[in-house]
Structures are given as structure tokens and as C-alpha cells.
Amino acid sequence: MSQRDLTLAEARVLAVLVEKQATVPDTYPMSLNALVAGCNQKTARDPVMSLTEPEVLQALEGLREQHLVNEVSGTRVTRYEHNMPRGLGVPGAAAALLTVLALRGPQTAAELRANSERLHRFADTSSVEAFLDELAGKTPPRVIKLPRAPGGREPRWAHLLCGEANVPAVAVGTGPLPPLPAAAAPAVSAEDFAALQAEVAALRTLVQRMAAELGIDPS
């Protein structure tokens, strides 16, 4: 059976299972309640979602049909475990990168190395890029390198588990910058303003990542 594109809910559920296996192994395989909480947590998530139990159950059923999730029997509470590496035909290191992309949105190779450390420790950024290139070369491709944003030093990568990458011009969660007042517009060129937008978005992303690492809610 050929594998179809995942829904956003399926990608989130699958990524949460991979993440929690590494970060909280004592509670893995995961119960439905724990999965819902993991999918909807506000830190280290981009975008933040509000999935209901029926929606998570529907996502689990879809993932089981794709041989990406297994239901664990023999316990009082039904629990679930992932089968991402085998189901997608990727090594564990690549699965870690896909997981972080599915949880946190597009990132540079350096950001991916830092954010995936608890899932897989990469020797350096070049090793991350090697796995990304391998994922991009698969059929179908699993990731895509995005055009460099104005003012950005490094290109970002996005996952393709849900099909074509849907990436807004401004980072998710930051919102568009307000326009300059009419009187001030002539003093700033379009090129300088675009660079300023990119710098502010990068700073907001950095603050969100630092808040996630400290376990606080940036909102």
C-alpha cells in the first residue's frame, strides 16, 4: 500500500510519540490522555494546537492504517507506540529531525541540531545537513530547503509529511509587523524594512526557544 500524506493532526500525534519516548520514557508507550496533553502543550510547539480526544483517536487510527503507530495491549489503559523509522524507512537520526520539524515548524540546520539533542545527538551541523539532504532526496521527499528569508543567514528546512509545505512569510506565532506610519515611511527603504522584519522574527523565535528550554510559557 502506498503511503499517503499525513494530516496535521496525524503528524503532530506521531511526532509527540517519538518525542516523549526519548524525553519521558517512564510514561511510554503513551495513553490517550497523555497524547492529547502532549499534542496541545504550549511550549516547544509551532503551531500550538487544540486537539480533542476524538480528533487524536481519529489521527491514531489513520496512523495505524499507515503502519506508523501500534496499539499496546496487556495494560488496563490502552497505550500507543510509534513505528516512525520503519514505517517511513528512515534511520533514527532522520526520524529525530522530522519529529522536531513537525513539532516546532521550519528551522535552520543549527536550530535543528540544538532542538533535537534530547532525541539524537548530532556531532555537528554538517551531519544534520547530510541527513536533511538524504531526506530531501527520498521518493517522495520528506523535507524541503526553503528559500532564504530576507536578512536570514541560513536557509530553513520544513517537513513534507503532510504534503506541500505551508510556510507563512512571517514565522508562525509572531504575527505580521505593523506598517510604519505614513510620515515615517519615506525615511526607511523597502530593503531595510524587510531586513528589520526578518531580524525581529528571528529574535522572537529565539525567545520562544529559550522559553521552551526553561519550561515557561512565553505568552
Side-chain angles (χ1 to χ4, degrees):
M1 178 182 66
S2 60
Q3 198 168 68
R4 60 169 173 78
D5 294 337
L6 302 183
T7 66
L8 291 175
E10 289 170 346
R12 175 58 58 89
V13 168
L14 181 61
V16 168
L17 285 169
V18 179
E19 177 195 52
K20 300 304 183 184
Q21 180 187 26
T23 59
V24 283
D26 291 344
T27 62
Y28 184 86
M30 299 182 70
S31 66
L32 176 61
N33 287 340
L35 258 177
V36 173
C39 289
N40 296 337
Q41 73 181 56
K42 292 182 170 58
T43 58
R45 297 290 184 266
D46 188 359
V48 173
M49 301 178 75
S50 297
L51 298 178
T52 63
E53 284 193 5
E55 289 172 331
V56 173
L57 281 172
Q58 183 178 9
L60 285 166
E61 182 59 31
L63 290 168
R64 281 192 296 183
E65 293 174 354
Q66 297 291 304
H67 306 292
L68 292 170
V69 163
N70 298 318
E71 184 176 314
V72 180
S73 58
T75 61
R76 293 182 179 180
V77 177
T78 302
R79 294 181 178 273
Y80 303 90
E81 62 183 10
H82 75 86
N83 188 35
M84 181 191 276
R86 179 178 295 182
L88 295 181
V90 298
L97 296 176
L98 287 171
T99 295
V100 175
L101 288 171
L103 292 176
R104 296 179 178 232
Q107 297 158 75
T108 66
E111 289 171 334
L112 281 167
R113 184 192 176 201
N115 291 331
S116 63
E117 187 172 2
R118 298 180 70 184
L119 305 182
H120 181 88
R121 184 165 294 180
F122 292 92
D124 48 37
T125 303
S126 62
S127 63
V128 174
E129 293 172 337
F131 278 105
L132 289 169
D133 288 337
E134 182 179 338
L135 286 169
K138 293 185 70 68
T139 305
R142 298 301 185 184
V143 299
I144 185 173
K145 182 186 289 187
L146 303 174
R148 187 172 300 175
R153 295 183 177 180
E154 300 178 32
R156 295 182 303 161
W157 294 78
H159 75 86
L160 297 175
L161 296 176
C162 302
E164 183 177 351
N166 182 18
V167 182
V170 179
V172 176
T174 63
L177 294 175
L180 289 175
V188 181
S189 68
E191 182 176 302
D192 289 340
F193 184 56
L196 178 62
Q197 283 184 307
E199 184 176 353
V200 172
L203 288 172
R204 285 174 171 166
T205 300
L206 177 62
V207 170
Q208 289 174 341
R209 186 168 74 249
M210 292 175 63
E213 292 174 352
L214 294 173
I216 61 177
D217 187 353
S219 63

